[in-house]
Amino acid sequence: MADQAEKLRNIIKAQSQPRTQAARVITVTSGKGGVGKSNTAINLAIQFRKMDQRVIILDADFGLANIEIMFGTVPKYNLYDLIYQGKKIRDIITWGPMEVGFISGGSGIVGMANLSLEYLNYIIQNLVELDSMADVIIVDTGAGISDAVLEFLVASNEILLVTTPEPTSITDSYSLLKALNRHSRFSQEYTSINVLANKVRNADEGDMLYHKLNTVVSRYLKLPIEYIGYIPQDELLARAVMQQTPVSIQNESAKSSLAYRELAGRLMNGEKESLKVKRGTMAFFSHIMTGRR
């Protein structure tokens, strides 16, 4: 087993010499469902596109097609077809509004532990192409503390944790961070965790939400988390969801649209200051694969 993992690492190292500049990978997650995680992923992608960034979303919420439902687009292929049906990476990308690409995860990564090294090499050769196709990869994980969610989080060096003022959302966010912090392959040193307060009435409520979460996280986990901002409760956003159109496209002046624009701006500015970003899709997916060997 250890020998196989070493061979896989050598394959990954060989594939990474040389190549185009790595894409930035941002993983959006939450401790529970219904907090607006997928909405955040989509609208953040739209705002990045308005900044002339090429964006691809990986819908890693296996079994729930949230991204395609919100985009109103049904993908022909998904990650399963890349891994098991011989499709190329370009075949499985569906293009949504404003040329935001998205990849449906299907159940593709679940069975990676059983793949041969030769086939993993094929997958890596395809996945590395994403670095030349996008400036930003947004990974929309499932909600909660499943093994699949934790696999994506430990592979990420940039996590956006979405939470709301509901007490259950705060406690579930803490539980997710606790599970992540205990994971054998998690590294505080190479991971940035930003907290986004969603569905709040105003800035003060967002600040209070973060303070509550950070107080217990700092005390019991000794885990550094940063506050990235808030998205206000907005009827126009709810209306946009019902019409399967991102609010950042349907109504650019909506208060939620403006908040998403500010969020994207902070993340873009923060990139210049952080050494923990842009390891690329190679590092992201290889971390998941080696963890399953």
Side-chain angles (χ1 to χ4, degrees), residues 164-230:
T164 71
E166 295 180 8
T168 53
S169 179
I170 298 173
T171 56
D172 287 344
S173 293
Y174 171 78
S175 297
L176 176 63
L177 292 174
K178 182 179 179 180
L180 175 63
N181 198 44
R182 288 181 170 180
H183 198 285
S184 61
R185 289 186 290 115
F186 173 68
S187 170
Q188 285 192 25
E189 182 181 0
Y190 295 107
T191 308
S192 297
I193 302 175
N194 288 311
V195 176
L196 178 68
N198 196 28
K199 301 182 181 181
V200 297
R201 290 172 294 183
N202 49 47
D204 288 342
E205 187 172 39
D207 290 338
M208 185 179 302
L209 190 162
Y210 169 72
H211 178 72
K212 288 179 180 178
L213 179 60
N214 188 48
T215 297
V216 293
V217 170
S218 298
R219 180 175 181 181
Y220 297 108
L221 303 182
K222 312 298 182 186
L223 180 65
I225 59 176
E226 300 293 333
Y227 184 49
I228 195 70
Y230 73 98

Side-chain angles (χ1 to χ4, degrees), residues 8-68:
L8 178 56
R9 281 190 287 271
N10 290 336
I11 290 172
I12 293 164
K13 183 178 180 180
Q15 289 295 338
S16 62
Q17 307 290 336
R19 65 187 219 279
T20 57
Q21 184 173 348
R24 182 180 185 181
V25 180
I26 301 174
T27 302
V28 183
T29 193
S30 64
K32 67 186 293 290
V35 301
K37 174 180 55 62
S38 296
N39 238 322
T40 296
I42 289 174
N43 282 284
L44 185 57
I46 295 297
Q47 295 297 341
F48 277 138
R49 281 294 298 131
K50 292 179 180 180
M51 297 176 179
D52 294 323
Q53 298 290 296
R54 299 169 301 162
V55 187
I56 294 176
I57 301 173
L58 170 61
D59 188 353
D61 193 352
F62 303 134
L64 297 176
N66 289 336
I67 302 297
E68 58 195 74

